[in-house]
């Protein structure tokens, strides 16, 4: 059983534990290590929002700017009830390692608002999105910090946020935010880039351990990333046998049709009880039989207990931080290959970076060109982290951390921060 005390640990503590782990395998300068223990800047804001009934509700929001040694801070904004100081800090640290591991010239940040978006009308959601930007506009900018979508924020929200920022500064600045609608400077592929990047990483991992294309896949979470990865993998010949969302887990060992499942979810609001499948309950997704497991929801879901029950041969972390460090150790002993989040879900920020380049030039690329560039970036990073894993005799996560932290440290030293 997991110990209650351990379960209390926040995501930021877990991210620091991962950093301490990498410190053991690479020679990390003490001065650098000390600076990597906390964000460079952390802002907490109150956002008063006029509700449709005339009352004012005050929401709490955050922006954590972890490290900008390699370039402007970069990272999404999450609208969720579980947003907390610890979560936002952890996510901003993970963004720092993510941009470094795929070698794009950006730092790491993250933002969030504590809100249940389902309780808000469209007008209230727009006022909250604009209010968040009014609260943080002084610390963001195309060359300072560039937000993007994350859990429960989407292109529409990015459109409102961009508009609010441009109204405040009085000129166009499309590069201040990525994941925008195409009509106002968004990039092709961005909508499914996180999933696409995960597919490229998954295929590299599958080659290493000899998994065939007809392999079975379990996906936890059927939001933007989860549903896109499901369709992309089905098109490639993988069999999606397990899918869950916050209401249930559906299982069919013959594989399910993702188009039909998406339509079903659109109609009913959830995947639960999808006809022709067995409903096993939301909590039981991660330990079902499947060759590949893709957690695509929130952090901290794979605890020690869950790790012991996992049957998959490979885990692809489409969510940020789904595996706690103690569970990682168990998975390593069980010889399960974990493709770490900072590579597996980096497709989103890579295409965000491409979006910024297109914004800076005012010239927009075709879908194929972006896909080729994305694939190249993921494959190169995969090879590099695999090399680090072999060289240090460690896990793929620690191989990725070694590479990322070395890159961030080098930039910090070159700036004279060492
Ligand atoms: N929210 C995404 C992530 O966690 C994308 C961030 C971005 O594009 O800046 O990687």
């Amino acid at each position: 059983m997991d110990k209650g005390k351990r379960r209390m640990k926040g995501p930021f503590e877990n991210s620091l534990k991962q950093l301490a782990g990498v410190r053991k395998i690479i020679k990390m300068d003490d001065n650098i290590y000390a600076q990597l223990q906390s964000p460079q800047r952390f802002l907490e804001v109150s956002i008063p929002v006029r509700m449709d009934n005339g009352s004012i509700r005050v929401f709490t929001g955050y922006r954590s700017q972890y490290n900008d040694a390699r370039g402007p801070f970069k990272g999404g904004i999450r609208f969720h009830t579980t947003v907390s100081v610890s979560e936002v800090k952890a996510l901003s640290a993970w963004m720092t390692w993510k941009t470094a591991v795929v070698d794009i010239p950006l730092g790491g940040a993250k933002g969030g608002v504590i809100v249940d978006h389902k309780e808000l009308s469209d007008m209230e959601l727009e006022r909250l999105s604009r209010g968040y930007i009014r609260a943080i506009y002084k610390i963001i900018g195309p060359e300072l910090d560039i937000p993007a979508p994350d859990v429960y924020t989407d292109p529409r929200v990015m459109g409102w946020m961009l508009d609010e920022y441009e109204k405040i500064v009085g000129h166009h600045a499309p590069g201040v935010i990525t994941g925008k609608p195409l009509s106002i400077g968004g990039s092709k592929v961005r909508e499914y880039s996180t999933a696409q990047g995960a597919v490229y990483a998954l295929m590299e991992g599958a080659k290493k351990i000899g998994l065939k294309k007809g392999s079975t896949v379990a996906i936890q979470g059927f939001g933007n990333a989860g549903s896109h990865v499901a369709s992309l993998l089905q098109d490639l010949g993988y069999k999606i046998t397990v899918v869950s969302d916050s209401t249930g887990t559906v299982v069919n060992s013959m594989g399910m049709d993702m188009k039909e499942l998406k339509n079903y979810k659109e109609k009913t609001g959830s995947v639960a009880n999808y006809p022709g499948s067995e409903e096993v309950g939301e909590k039981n997704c991660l330990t079902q039989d499947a060759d590949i497991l893709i957690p695509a929801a929130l952090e901290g879901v794979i605890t020690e207990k869950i790790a012991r029950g996992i049957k998959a041969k490979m885990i692809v972390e489409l969510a940020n931080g789904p595996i706690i460090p103690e569970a990682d150790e168990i998975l390593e002993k069980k010889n399960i290959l974990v493709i770490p989040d900072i590579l597996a879900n980096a497709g989103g920020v890579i295409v965000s970076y491409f979006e910024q380049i297109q914004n800076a030039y005012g010239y927009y690329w075709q879908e194929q060109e972006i896909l080729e560039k994305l694939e190249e970036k993921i494959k190169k990073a995969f090879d590099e982290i695999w090399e680090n894993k072999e060289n240090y005799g460690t896990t793929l996560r620690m191989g990725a951390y070694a590479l990322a932290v070395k890159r961030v440290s080098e930039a910090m030293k070159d700036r004279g921060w060492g």
Side-chain angles (χ1 to χ4, degrees), residues 130-377:
R130 290 182 183 275
Y132 178 71
I133 289 300
R134 281 196 301 277
I136 68 158
Y137 80 91
K138 283 187 183 152
I139 62 160
I140 62 169
E143 280 159 357
L144 177 56
D145 180 357
I146 307 108
D150 197 74
V151 176
Y152 291 140
T153 51
D154 58 11
R156 191 172 62 142
V157 168
M158 297 305 114
W160 293 325
M161 289 184 170
L162 173 73
D163 187 63
E164 193 64 26
Y165 182 82
E166 292 184 339
K167 278 190 173 131
I168 295 168
V169 297
H171 56 79
H172 281 284
V176 71
I177 204 155
T178 57
K180 302 177 288 290
L182 288 175
S183 63
I184 49 174
S187 174
K188 290 197 171 126
V189 180
R190 182 63 185 83
E191 182 74 19
Y192 65 97
S193 56
T194 308
Q196 186 65 64
V199 169
Y200 293 141
L202 178 150
M203 285 173 20
E204 293 305 300
K207 264 191 249 163
K208 293 279 182 200
I209 60 169
L211 279 179
K212 302 263 146 42
K213 278 215 175 140
S215 300
T216 53
V217 183
I219 302 173
Q220 186 217 22
F222 209 56
N224 179 52
S227 64
H228 276 123
V229 91
S231 303
L232 292 169
L233 287 175
Q234 179 176 353
D235 291 347
L236 286 170
Y238 289 88
K239 253 204 279 178
I240 318 300
T241 52
V242 184
V243 174
S244 79
D245 64 9
S246 57
T247 58
T249 301
V250 286
V251 181
N252 181 336
S253 59
M254 302 301 288
M256 293 171 278
D257 183 69
M258 290 303 113
K259 236 190 222 140
E260 275 178 23
L261 184 59
K262 255 185 218 176
N263 288 340
Y264 176 80
K265 179 161 175 151
E266 250 156 50
K267 261 188 241 135
T268 64
S270 74
V271 300
N273 301 308
Y274 173 56
S277 70
E278 190 193 342
E279 170 61 60
V280 297
E282 180 253 319
K283 289 207 163 59
N284 299 316
C285 172
L286 299 161
T287 48
Q288 294 298 310
D289 254 325
D291 300 315
I292 303 168
L293 172 62
I294 308 184
L298 296 176
E299 63 276 357
V301 292
I302 301 187
T303 56
E304 292 137 290
K305 185 179 166 202
I306 299 278
R308 278 185 212 108
I310 285 178
K311 300 182 187 80
K313 300 181 185 77
M314 178 163 88
I315 302 178
V316 182
E317 291 186 316
L318 193 51
N320 287 305
I323 303 177
I324 67 164
E326 293 81 3
D328 247 342
E329 287 166 25
I330 294 169
L331 297 170
E332 187 184 3
K333 278 189 200 121
K334 286 175 77 173
N335 211 12
I336 297 173
L337 180 66
V338 176
I339 305 197
D341 48 2
I342 60 173
L343 174 73
N345 70 30
V349 75
I350 293 173
V351 178
S352 278
Y353 162 61
F354 295 159
E355 182 173 329
Q356 273 206 305
I357 297 174
Q358 296 170 79
N359 294 152
Y361 279 86
Y363 178 80
Y364 290 83
W365 306 340
Q366 292 310 311
E367 190 160 2
Q368 198 50 36
E369 195 176 345
I370 298 169
L371 286 171
E372 280 163 21
K373 286 185 162 71
L374 173 62
E375 184 174 11
E376 194 187 305
K377 277 256 169 236

Side-chain angles (χ1 to χ4, degrees), residues 8-23:
M8 295 294 289
K9 264 191 201 154
F12 187 50
E13 238 181 307
N14 287 335
S15 82
L16 290 180
K17 198 165 177 191
Q18 291 164 335
L19 187 65
V22 77
R23 190 191 190 198

Side-chain angles (χ1 to χ4, degrees), residues 45-49 56-60 114:
V45 295
S46 296
I47 312 160
V49 175
I56 289 199
R57 229 176 111 183
V58 181
F59 294 88
T60 303
I114 306 170

